[in-house]
Amino acid sequence: MRVLVTGARMWYAINTIRLLARSGHEVFAADSSRLSGGLYSRYLKGKFIYPSVGENSSAFVESVIEKIEELKIDVLCPTFEEGFVFSKYIGRLEGRVNVLVPSYDHITLLHDKYSMTTYARSLGISVPKTVLLKDFSLEGCEFPVIIKPRNQRSAEGIFKVNSKSEFEKRCRNLEEDKYLVQEWKEPYQICTTGLAHNGRLIGNVIYHNIREYPESGGIGTCRVSIDCEKALGEVKKIVSDLNYSGFISMDFLHDRINGEYYLVDVNPRMSPGLLIAYNSGVDMVKAYLELANGSEVSVARSPKTGYGTFTTAMEIGWFFSTLFKGKFKNLKGFFKSRKNLKDDSWDVRDPIPFFVMLLSMLNTAVFGPLRGGQTKSFSLGATCDTESLGSEEELIKKKAV
């Protein structure tokens, strides 16, 4: 089978490429950046560069369709937010390639942190107290609070505010309808990665991030699988209620005093838990291919706990980021914490993606702050805000008239 993996800069895209190739498939990869580790895997039959995902999504889709037809691709496997665009333009892909992505309505509901929080609360799922910035009143407010954008990823643009004066200073120039104010919860994060089809959870893994990049909070760089029935139940609740299909990833904050789990983020896409799931006995890549091709797939068995991964390239980025910020205490126990965990970026049989990813991480650690932040720098050209897709569609219609 000929499979195209997009979003090749993501380390779980590299994992996907390797797993597919080792299962005997012909694998192709693409991204908008040449500095994408997956583009340099020895397992590829071919690769190409596509336009920026978010700047002109229609042109992006057309360029991918051209390559799908040229390379005779059977299955399209998006790994990051390019999947949002494929969902928006799913009609253009039908009949050309098999792909499984969430419906665009589900993406817009879940990617927007305010609408997701409101929706989750309606299902009885615990969430932090949340209001839009435009509706927030300082009267009676208990600090600290969290300020976050409605449509971002990997903790990008999130900051903690400790006082009224700091709040007024930090929020002075923010667009009030695009940010929300959220109750502060201790950042002990529990994450999930799952695959669903027609409201049924096919496979799911739950894990805890030992470290994140940047070190102040963001993408997990070192993770271990755990058992958490409460989080699993909340995932199933949303999947079932929406009759959801596709990859779905959730982040919870665990209050270790009252024992509650608060849902703070839902990503309607693949995430780093992919290889944790595989190492724990749940092969979501294989299940994805079967579902995309219309085959029946049985519900996967529960993953084993205590299995984890670390991403060396991102760990090095975390290390130097922490070092440059002078937070030397956070470096204590760095190497011991990775005992019995598997590297999900280094492969002696496929070494070049590791070095490309390492170069990318070092680049964002040093120059990221000059480009709007480390996370934003890493994902330039790969992200898609659902709000901008709607604006772009309106613009295209106006031009046609």
Side-chain angles (χ1 to χ4, degrees), residues 61 103 213 244 266 357 369 387 399:
V61 171
S103 77
Y213 180 83
Y244 186 92
V266 178
M357 190 172 179
E387 182 182 11
K399 287 182 177 180

Side-chain angles (χ1 to χ4, degrees), residues 8-15 18 34-38 40 213 219-221 223 310-317 343-346 351-364 378:
R9 76 185 68 188
M10 308 310 293
W11 61 104
Y12 40 91
I14 300 173
N15 302 152
R18 290 168 175 166
R34 295 187 184 280
L35 199 61
S36 299
Y40 300 89
Y213 180 83
I219 305 170
T221 66
R223 327 151 195 93
F310 60 90
T311 309
T312 294
M314 296 190 74
E315 287 272 86
I316 293 174
D343 192 334
D344 66 358
S345 57
W346 171 256
I352 297 180
F354 167 83
F355 291 107
V356 175
M357 190 172 179
L358 175 60
L359 179 61
S360 177
M361 288 297 101
L362 293 176
N363 181 57
T364 59
F378 177 74

Side-chain angles (χ1 to χ4, degrees), residues 127-355:
V127 294
K129 296 176 183 177
T130 304
V131 296
L132 288 174
L133 180 57
K134 67 178 182 178
D135 300 324
F136 180 74
S137 173
L138 283 169
E139 185 177 348
C141 174
E142 293 185 7
F143 290 94
V145 295
I146 294 295
I147 311 297
K148 61 170 66 173
R150 294 178 64 168
N151 288 289
Q152 288 297 343
R153 73 289 302 160
S154 305
E156 183 181 321
I158 297 177
F159 51 91
K160 178 183 177 183
V161 175
N162 296 296
S163 67
K164 178 180 178 180
S165 59
E166 184 183 358
F167 180 92
E168 293 174 337
K169 181 179 179 181
R170 295 294 297 266
C171 298
R172 188 175 298 137
N173 299 316
L174 297 180
E175 296 184 65
E176 293 187 333
D177 61 337
K178 294 185 178 181
Y179 282 79
L180 52 84
V181 183
Q182 197 165 74
E183 175 187 14
W184 163 258
K185 296 292 181 184
E186 286 294 329
Y188 188 86
Q189 188 168 239
I190 303 297
C191 305
T192 75
T193 299
L195 178 64
H197 187 244
N198 293 338
R200 183 179 63 153
L201 193 61
I202 303 301
N204 190 77
V205 68
I206 302 171
Y207 59 98
H208 169 58
N209 286 336
I210 298 173
R211 277 184 294 279
E212 298 177 350
Y213 180 83
E215 48 76 32
S216 57
I219 305 170
T221 66
C222 186
R223 327 151 195 93
V224 63
S225 62
I226 62 172
D227 184 35
C228 182
E229 287 299 320
K230 178 65 172 179
L232 178 61
E234 308 296 39
V235 174
K236 288 181 176 179
K237 191 179 293 184
I238 288 179
V239 165
S240 176
D241 185 71
L242 293 177
N243 197 34
Y244 186 92
S245 291
F247 279 102
I248 186 165
S249 307
M250 301 188 187
D251 296 337
F252 296 83
L253 293 181
H254 178 40
D255 188 325
R256 288 177 285 179
I257 296 177
N258 66 19
E260 190 57 84
Y261 293 84
Y262 297 90
L263 180 63
V264 292
D265 201 7
V266 178
N267 290 306
R269 56 168 173 80
M270 193 185 289
S271 78
L274 183 80
L275 195 63
I276 301 174
Y278 182 80
N279 291 337
S280 303
V282 180
D283 190 345
M284 294 191 202
V285 173
K286 178 182 177 182
Y288 175 86
L289 286 187
E290 292 172 344
L291 291 171
N293 284 319
S295 303
E296 283 295 321
V297 58
S298 59
V299 177
R301 62 186 178 85
S302 299
K304 296 174 287 186
T305 59
Y307 288 75
T309 62
F310 60 90
T311 309
T312 294
M314 296 190 74
E315 287 272 86
I316 293 174
W318 177 92
F319 186 91
F320 282 103
S321 174
T322 303
L323 191 66
F324 292 158
K325 292 177 181 178
K327 298 183 178 181
F328 305 115
K329 290 183 179 179
N330 293 348
L331 301 175
K332 186 178 180 180
F334 175 76
F335 294 102
K336 288 184 179 180
S337 64
R338 303 194 305 181
K339 188 177 180 180
N340 298 325
L341 305 184
K342 292 186 178 180
D343 192 334
D344 66 358
S345 57
W346 171 256
D347 185 334
V348 68
R349 295 164 294 181
D350 187 31
I352 297 180
F354 167 83
F355 291 107

